[in-house]
Each structure stands twice: as C-alpha cells, then as structure tokens.
Amino acid sequence: MISHTESVQFISESPIRSSSSVSPIGSSSRYRLSEVHLTIIPIEYVFLTLRCNKDGLTTVAAQERLAIFGYNKLEEKKESKFLKFLGFMWNPLSWVMEAAAIMAIALANGGGKPPDWQDFVGIIVLLLINSTISFIEENNAGNAAAALMARLAPKAKVLRKGRWVEEDAAILVPGDIISVKLGDIIPADSRLLDGDPLKIDQSALTGESLPVTKGPGDSVYSGSTSKQGEIEAVVIDRLMLFQVCMFV
C-alpha cells in the first residue's frame, strides 16, 4: 500500500532511469516521477516497485492510486466533422490552389474580359477532391481507433485484499492483481504471474494473424483477447514506461 509518509524503495539492480521532476499532489503531498521499464524487469522487482503483492491492493490503496494515475481508459474527444473537413483546406498546398483560383477570376483575363470561370471551377473541384480524400483517410483512422476502444473490457476480475471481485476495468490501477481466462479481453497492460500459459490474439494491436503464446513473466496488452489458458497477472502502467509515485 502506498503511504503518504513513506517512499517507494527502488531496487538498485533493476534497470531504472530516474528524473528530477517534482509536482504537487493535493495540498500537502508531493511526488517525484521516475521511469521504470516494468515490461522487462524481473517480476519480483515489479512487485517491489509497485509496492504490491499477490494478495492484491486494499480498497484505500486502489483509491489513492486511482486519484494519482487516473482512469484506465482512453480519452474520447468529440469534434465537428464539418470543421475537421474545413481543416484540410488550411495547409500550404490548399493555399496555393486557393490563390490560383482567386487569380483565375481576378487576373486571368484583363482588358475588360469576363473572369476565367472554367479554370476557377476546375481548381475548386480539385481542392474539394483533395480535401475529401484526406478527410476520408483521417476518418477511417478515427473509426479504427474507436473500434479498438470498443474492444476494451468493460469489466475485470480483480483481487482486492485477498478477495476476488468484479470491477469496472476503468478503475484498475498499477499493482492490481487480475484474473485472465479463455475469452477474456485483457483489461489493462499487465505482466503474467503463475498459471497456465495463454494464447493471446493481439491482431488488433500488431496485425499478427495467429495467436501468440504468453507465459509467466511475459507482458500482455490492453485490448488483446485470451484464446486459451487461465492465469493471474499484475497490472502495470498503460504506457511502456511506468511513472513511479514517490511521496515525500
């Protein structure tokens, strides 16, 4: 359990890179951030670094960490598709085409001749086509990200103070012990503990067509699916590097 009166103790043999950033937490506490490769250090160092054990976190410790690290979910930002489309008309290439369109009707035919509407319309059509293609590609990428978010597990079986309970996956924090079995979606990036090796389908993340085998000590990532086996795992950070909270 993380306490406001004690610091996280690091193991000198583990591959840790330290930083000197200091920021406030609440009104009376401060924390220092250090970067630890929790995906590659030995599993016993993961427990020591996260100050947790195989009995799971207490409710109080989980709430403290949730306040520090935030919810285990991707932030979803809504934006206007129309404004997003217009944004593709605001770049250097579009500026050149827009300037050419203005010149086509303002400067192309002097001497009192009518504007060159054909060139103007042609340039505007090309501008719209270019912007439409860029918008469709960007929108498809956004849809793929939304589909990945939809795959994230809404519930997870987590060990809290020695008892298995079902909780929203969004409130999982580093140090939680979770159970993964056949058919489960991995609710958070984790390191596997003791149990049967898993076959993991991570095609949505890596593009691999076949499931990969993961055993004790291996890392599994949020959004992948268990196709075989049953095992426990310790939740690490959602990023490859974990920002360790050291209370001072």
Side-chain angles (χ1 to χ4, degrees), residues 158-228:
V158 57
L159 188 63
R160 289 281 169 84
K161 206 173 180 179
R163 297 180 59 187
W164 288 104
V165 294
E166 190 175 75
E167 297 280 6
D168 290 336
I171 68 171
L172 292 179
V173 294
D176 266 329
I177 305 298
I178 59 173
S179 174
V180 181
K181 62 182 185 302
L182 172 66
D184 285 350
I185 297 174
I186 307 299
D189 293 356
S190 309
R191 291 284 298 274
L192 299 181
L193 303 176
D194 298 329
D196 298 330
L198 296 180
K199 284 194 176 295
I200 297 290
D201 178 4
Q202 52 189 25
S203 57
L205 306 177
T206 64
E208 296 172 284
S209 58
L210 297 175
V212 295
T213 300
K214 299 279 189 175
D218 290 337
S219 299
V220 291
Y221 303 107
S222 178
S224 53
T225 305
S226 172
K227 295 296 185 181
Q228 181 181 315

Side-chain angles (χ1 to χ4, degrees), residues 139-149:
N139 194 57
N140 288 341
N143 290 340
L148 181 58
M149 289 178 64

Side-chain angles (χ1 to χ4, degrees), residues 39-209:
T39 57
I40 61 175
I41 64 176
I43 197 68
E44 59 269 21
Y45 291 169
V46 173
F47 281 108
L48 288 169
T49 303
L50 296 179
R51 294 191 66 86
C52 62
N53 56 50
K54 293 186 178 181
D55 291 330
L57 300 174
T58 64
T59 301
V60 173
Q63 290 174 346
E64 288 179 353
R65 298 184 186 205
L66 185 62
I68 296 167
F69 299 106
Y71 288 94
N72 175 41
K73 62 181 181 180
L74 298 174
E75 293 185 7
E76 187 176 1
K77 296 181 179 179
K78 297 288 185 180
E79 59 179 330
S80 168
K81 290 187 179 293
F82 178 70
L83 293 178
K84 188 175 181 180
F85 176 77
L86 292 181
F88 290 107
M89 295 186 182
W90 193 252
N91 55 68
L93 176 60
S94 297
W95 296 340
V96 171
M97 298 179 70
E98 290 158 4
I102 293 173
M103 293 177 64
I105 59 173
L107 304 175
N109 296 328
K113 294 181 180 179
D116 192 345
W117 291 108
Q118 291 181 338
D119 285 353
F120 173 79
V121 172
I123 294 171
I124 294 299
V125 169
L126 289 175
L127 177 62
L128 290 173
I129 291 174
N130 180 67
S131 298
T132 300
I133 292 174
S134 299
F135 173 77
I136 291 174
E137 291 177 345
E138 184 78 12
N139 194 57
N140 288 341
N143 290 340
L148 181 58
M149 289 178 64
R151 283 177 53 86
L152 299 181
K155 295 285 185 180
K157 191 175 180 181
V158 57
L159 188 63
R160 289 281 169 84
K161 206 173 180 179
R163 297 180 59 187
W164 288 104
V165 294
E166 190 175 75
E167 297 280 6
D168 290 336
I171 68 171
L172 292 179
V173 294
D176 266 329
I177 305 298
I178 59 173
S179 174
V180 181
K181 62 182 185 302
L182 172 66
D184 285 350
I185 297 174
I186 307 299
D189 293 356
S190 309
R191 291 284 298 274
L192 299 181
L193 303 176
D194 298 329
D196 298 330
L198 296 180
K199 284 194 176 295
I200 297 290
D201 178 4
Q202 52 189 25
S203 57
L205 306 177
T206 64
E208 296 172 284
S209 58

